[in-house]
Amino acid sequence: MPLVTITLARRAAPTSPEKKAEIIAGVTELLVETLDKRAEDVVVLIEELDPDNWGQGGITASEIRRRRVATMAKHEGEKTS
């Protein structure tokens, strides 16, 4: 029985239940086709991580996002000047 875990970073606009259902269906179909597994034997888990609970380059994902927004705002301000 294949068990697939997909970890998504939680965002301000959450992943909708419909999108999660699409992910589950798509991964299941992929394993049915590539591994010749029965759909009812495929288990797909979706985990969502809070951006304060993971990081990259020594800073949290929340801080990375804050910096990205600030940089984008700065660049937008430069374009309109």
Side-chain angles (χ1 to χ4, degrees):
M1 170 175 51
L3 173 66
V4 178
T5 302
I6 298 171
T7 305
L8 300 174
R10 186 171 290 134
R11 300 202 174 271
T15 305
S16 70
E18 295 80 14
K19 284 293 178 189
K20 290 177 185 177
E22 285 181 44
I23 292 168
I24 292 168
V27 169
T28 300
E29 183 179 328
L30 176 67
L31 294 180
V32 167
E33 291 174 4
T34 59
L35 297 179
D36 198 30
K37 296 294 179 179
R38 298 180 317 155
E40 57 269 20
D41 292 335
V42 176
V43 176
V44 180
L45 304 173
I46 297 176
E47 298 177 331
E48 290 185 287
L49 288 178
D50 188 282
D52 288 331
N53 293 339
W54 68 279
Q56 184 175 349
I59 58 176
T60 67
S62 294
E63 181 60 24
I64 292 169
R65 290 175 183 176
R66 277 192 285 278
R67 291 178 185 184
R68 188 178 299 144
V69 168
T71 300
M72 289 171 53
K74 179 182 174 187
H75 289 297
E76 286 300 316
E78 291 171 356
K79 288 180 183 177
T80 59
S81 298

